[in-house]
Amino acid sequence: MPAFHFREENRLKGKGRKHAIETGVEPLSAMTRRASRISSISESIFATVTRWAVEHQAVNLGQGFPDFDGPEWIIAEAHAAMRAGKNQYAPMHGTRSFRRAVAAYQKRFYGIEWDPEDEITVTAGATEALFCAVLAFVEPGDEVIITEPFYDAHHADVLIAGAVPVCVTLHKPDFRFDPEAFERLVTPRTRMIILNNPDNPTGKVYTDEELRWIADVAVRHDLLVLSDEVYEFLTYDGARHIPLASLPGMRERTIAVSSTGKTFGMTGWKIGYAMAEKGLTDAIRAVHQFATFAVNTPGQHAMAYALGKLEEYLPVLRTLYATKRDLLFAGLCRTPLTPHMPRGGYFLVADIPESVAAGDIACAEHLARHAGVAVIPLSPFYASCDEGKRMLRFCFAKRDETIREGLARLERVPPEAWQSLA
Ligand SMILES: Cc1ncc(COP(=O)(O)O)c(C=O)c1O
């Protein structure tokens, strides 16, 4: 048997240890093998909360997707496409039907003209579009300004690119940013701003004035803006979504991203898209062709059809979600939590009562365990300050029965149980 010394940082167990003893070759542990670009990527809070939900049979108001099905007429279109033999690889940049449908609605709704051939790319959800855009334009060591609380992929994508996320905080109560603080974050290393409008998790819909201010900063400092607009159609109370690319000087420096998963409540189909001027699109496609190459074909055909029906569909969608938002908001007002009314998206954040000393993670775990309601603590979505420690995120893309049951459970939490968190 060969003489063998285990490295301290590489404590091997089971099979790995046996292999090392038999061969004299000390294999690295999986942890040691990890590339440095993912060294700070760990299990997401969503996985943790889902585990709590399963363990405690909790009503899940945390997970960010509908617990009801998308429209039957879109499913029928997908079946028809499958039966018509649309089952092989789609073109790398997406089916022509889908790209044309995106170009048509962008023109109809916002007056933006994207060339469907050269400026629209279909991706495996908005998630892939974001990833491709960051990898295509951000160098290791660059800085990328993101808003916090952030959408987790915005932060993670920048880290995976070997770059540095620099956070500008959206402050309560209306989640505005401080323009001076924002501009101070711009340095010669800044390459990109990532914006989420409407915003997950705050429900903020950026005003024309705010967007013009950001556009002005981007133009003056020659920055790209990755504008994540997946909730573009989920706006309430007359709030109007303004796509960043529609502002003067922004078409040539914006990568706009959206998702049919959010628009049509079918997140499992993972059909998203990136829109950007040709030169930028070429770079995004350079990554996309080796990340996924192509996205599922019948789904694209069905979603092309669905995008053509937006005018009829959107009033139904907005009324459905606005009703759910109001139901959840009103119910939370009857608990010790203080909800903030969102104007877009399908999340709302609520403040933890001041009497509760425990932070958001302990509070969320307590609610899953003792109330049977799973929600998302907000601190994992902050990197530069600890405002998130006092907030929880709720998702209202849920059946009314789910929301009602979650609220009933929260209302049954006795005052002593809240005090026990003090
Ligand atoms: C802000 C934001 N961007 C992107 C995504 C991902 O979209 P998709 O499911 O199309 O990948 C989500 C999903 O929750 C989101 O909230």
Side-chain angles (χ1 to χ4, degrees):
M1 190 179 293
F4 197 83
H5 299 286
F6 289 101
R7 280 192 240 148
E8 195 44 38
E9 76 279 12
N10 193 15
R11 288 167 201 275
L12 293 167
K13 289 195 192 123
K15 263 199 207 151
R17 192 180 178 90
K18 190 162 172 273
H19 171 87
I21 291 168
E22 280 167 10
T23 63
V25 178
E26 181 184 5
L28 296 172
S29 68
M31 207 53 204
T32 325
R33 284 186 201 278
R34 279 177 156 232
S36 57
R37 74 175 71 86
I38 58 160
S39 59
S40 50
I41 309 283
S42 52
E43 182 185 84
S44 87
I45 189 67
F46 299 108
T48 311
V49 172
T50 302
R51 215 176 32 249
W52 293 342
V54 172
E55 260 169 45
H56 306 296
Q57 290 163 14
V59 172
N60 201 334
L61 296 181
Q63 259 170 350
F65 56 84
D67 68 347
F68 49 92
D69 213 350
E72 177 52 42
W73 51 274
I74 304 182
I75 296 171
E77 278 303 308
H79 281 172
M82 286 180 209
R83 294 216 176 83
K86 313 259 187 221
N87 298 306
Q88 303 304 338
Y89 288 133
M92 182 270 278
H93 53 318
T95 64
R96 180 176 297 157
S97 61
F98 185 83
R99 285 179 286 106
R100 284 187 172 171
V102 171
Y105 95 75
Q106 286 275 313
K107 173 99 172 65
R108 248 175 22 248
F109 280 72
Y110 309 128
I112 308 175
E113 299 203 25
W114 301 113
D115 177 346
E117 207 44 54
D118 292 331
E119 299 186 321
I120 296 171
T121 308
V122 186
T123 52
T127 308
E128 196 225 336
L130 296 167
F131 188 71
C132 291
V134 172
L135 285 199
F137 302 112
V138 175
E139 296 278 10
D142 281 349
E143 290 172 6
V144 176
I145 298 178
I146 64 175
T147 55
E148 72 178 359
F150 43 76
Y151 174 59
D152 61 351
H154 297 169
H155 190 253
D157 289 350
V158 174
L159 291 175
I160 291 171
V164 182
V166 178
C167 293
V168 59
T169 308
L170 302 175
H171 294 287
K172 290 187 290 189
D174 50 3
F175 299 102
R176 291 182 78 86
F177 57 85
D178 170 355
E180 279 173 23
F182 193 136
E183 188 139 17
R184 272 200 303 274
L185 298 178
V186 181
T187 75
R189 297 223 66 115
T190 310
R191 178 67 62 116
M192 177 185 266
I193 298 170
I194 305 182
L195 209 62
N196 185 198
N197 181 30
D199 185 62
N200 167 9
T202 63
K204 173 187 177 66
V205 177
Y206 283 77
T207 63
D208 186 48
E209 181 210 351
E210 287 173 316
L211 290 173
R212 281 178 193 275
W213 188 89
I214 293 167
D216 177 61
V217 170
V219 171
R220 272 192 290 111
H221 296 278
D222 193 21
L223 305 176
L224 291 176
V225 185
L226 178 52
S227 189
D228 180 342
E229 301 179 11
V230 296
Y231 300 103
E232 63 184 310
F233 294 117
L234 287 170
T235 53
Y236 317 108
D237 306 334
R240 191 168 67 92
H241 170 68
I242 303 169
L244 195 68
S246 67
L247 298 184
M250 291 312 289
R251 190 186 182 286
E252 58 269 35
R253 61 179 66 253
T254 300
I255 301 116
V257 168
S258 194
S259 172
T260 61
K262 303 295 174 181
T263 301
F264 296 103
M266 298 169 96
T267 57
W269 285 23
K270 291 296 283 182
I271 299 176
Y273 44 103
M275 298 158 280
E277 68 85 33
K278 184 176 181 323
L280 299 178
T281 288
D282 286 345
I284 292 165
R285 289 181 184 175
V287 183
H288 166 72
Q289 68 180 326
F290 295 113
T292 56
F293 181 71
V295 175
N296 100 68
T297 310
Q300 289 188 60
H301 283 287
M303 285 302 182
Y305 177 78
L307 286 172
K309 301 276 174 209
L310 276 174
E311 279 82 348
E312 293 148 60
Y313 167 74
L314 287 181
V316 180
L317 175 83
R318 289 200 177 105
T319 309
L320 178 78
Y321 280 103
T323 310
K324 293 180 183 303
R325 175 196 67 158
D326 294 347
L327 178 67
L328 180 61
F329 184 89
L332 288 176
C333 289
R334 296 192 297 270
T335 73
L337 298 163
T338 308
H340 296 271
M341 184 62 108
R343 300 186 74 218
Y346 51 50
F347 302 102
L348 67 73
V349 296
D351 289 338
I352 295 168
E354 272 171 26
S355 60
V356 169
D360 60 324
I361 296 180
C363 193
E365 188 172 7
H366 187 87
L367 289 179
R369 189 183 296 273
H370 299 291
V373 179
V375 296
I376 306 287
L378 224 62
S379 59
F381 311 115
Y382 286 79
S384 80
C385 72
D386 57 11
E387 286 187 22
K389 287 198 175 138
R390 307 302 309 158
M391 285 185 276
L392 301 171
R393 187 192 85 169
F394 291 76
C395 175
F396 53 88
K398 303 293 168 195
R399 284 173 289 143
D400 290 358
E401 307 89 88
T402 313
I403 298 175
R404 285 209 181 88
E405 177 59 27
L407 288 171
R409 291 181 181 202
L410 286 174
E411 283 177 51
R412 281 201 295 269
V413 175
E416 322 73 89
W418 287 104
Q419 276 152 20
S420 72
L421 285 164

